[in-house]
Amino acid sequence: FICVSNFIRETAMARGFPPEKLRVHYIGVDRRKFAPSNAPREPIVLFVGRLIEVKGCEYALRAMQRIGAVVPDARLIIIGEGPLRAQLEQLARELRIRSEFLGAQPNEAVRTWMRRARVVCTPSKAQPNGTAEGLPIGLLEAQACGTPVVAFRTGGIPEAIDDGVSGRIVPSGDIGQLAAAVICYLSDDALWQSSSLAGPKWIAGRFDLHAQSAVLEKVYDDLCAAQ
């Protein structure tokens, strides 16, 4: 069984999967497509994900109310579709925040927004039924583009971010700390530059698509040879 993170492996073991048959293999990112650009960054906070409970878009909206009070020109761009869209749009109106719901977008558009944004916010939160993030590919893609990320500590997210280096991980559900971390990336140029440079290096060392594909091929080769 291939597990996309140690979190998934631990979850599988807790449900009775045999440990000796569980192999952790991280997803890879195509760094030829997801790479930094020289385009100027804007005070954009980007959320990318389905509009469902586990993705936590509500937390991004509520954090944006605090962010806007400190960085008035900041705006939240939301890419994704889902059953909670109407509810979330209503919340955005009630909070009177600067936000825009773009719905589902093609990969090229997502890459463009990742290169325009100053920070990506991923406040995913584990649900009572056990649903949680395995390893969010969007966080990896953002870091490959040189965009710092801020996320809740949940599921496999701690394995996707070099905390304090390529991004920040804050306690799950803590809107205050979520907003504070985003504000730091919007207002501190030196911090932003440091994390922006660190992100692509972090991805190259652990999540390169071609390197990870070669490792996965070897797993299958070894299994075939053992038959």
Side-chain angles (χ1 to χ4, degrees):
F1 300 98
I2 300 294
C3 305
V4 298
S5 63
N6 283 296
F7 165 74
I8 291 295
R9 183 176 189 273
E10 291 168 3
T11 301
M13 286 193 295
R15 297 184 180 182
F17 281 70
E20 69 277 8
K21 290 189 176 183
L22 298 173
R23 177 73 64 87
V24 175
H25 178 78
Y26 290 135
I27 295 169
V29 173
D30 189 342
R31 296 190 298 118
R32 295 173 300 181
K33 294 181 178 179
F34 292 91
S37 75
N38 294 322
R41 299 287 180 147
E42 303 170 45
I44 290 171
V45 181
L46 180 64
F47 172 95
V48 181
R50 286 199 67 212
L51 302 182
I52 56 177
E53 291 286 352
V54 72
K55 295 297 183 180
C57 185
E58 176 183 347
Y59 294 94
L61 292 170
R62 295 191 182 280
M64 197 64 198
Q65 190 176 41
R66 304 188 187 197
I67 294 164
V70 179
V71 187
D73 60 344
R75 60 189 176 119
L76 176 64
I77 298 295
I78 299 161
I79 295 178
E81 194 57 81
L84 296 182
R85 178 167 178 171
Q87 177 182 326
L88 293 168
E89 287 180 326
Q90 177 60 32
L91 177 61
R93 287 191 290 270
E94 292 172 0
L95 295 173
R96 297 182 178 181
I97 59 175
R98 297 187 66 190
S99 63
E100 186 175 353
F101 288 77
L102 302 184
Q105 295 290 313
N107 289 339
E108 184 176 348
V110 174
R111 288 197 298 270
T112 297
W113 279 106
M114 283 182 173
R115 293 187 181 112
R116 288 178 62 181
R118 181 89 171 187
V119 58
V120 166
C121 180
T122 305
S124 299
K125 195 172 187 297
Q127 299 301 294
N129 65 2
T131 302
E133 293 281 10
L135 192 80
I137 187 68
L139 284 182
L140 304 181
E141 293 170 344
Q143 291 170 95
C145 290
T147 307
V149 295
V150 174
F152 282 156
R153 184 177 296 281
T154 186
I157 284 178
E159 298 172 57
I161 302 172
D162 191 2
D163 188 21
V165 182
S166 65
R168 295 279 182 87
I169 302 173
V170 302
S172 182
D174 193 326
I175 294 171
Q177 290 200 44
L178 183 71
V182 170
I183 289 169
C184 285
Y185 281 123
L186 290 173
S187 58
D188 188 329
D189 289 338
L191 173 65
W192 185 89
Q193 184 69 23
S194 174
S195 290
S196 179
L197 292 173
K201 295 177 182 177
W202 167 252
I203 297 302
R206 294 168 65 92
F207 303 103
D208 177 80
L209 176 63
H210 300 289
Q212 292 305 99
S213 295
V215 172
L216 186 59
E217 288 173 1
K218 187 175 187 309
V219 170
Y220 288 126
D221 288 342
D222 291 345
L223 285 172
C224 290
Q227 299 302 314

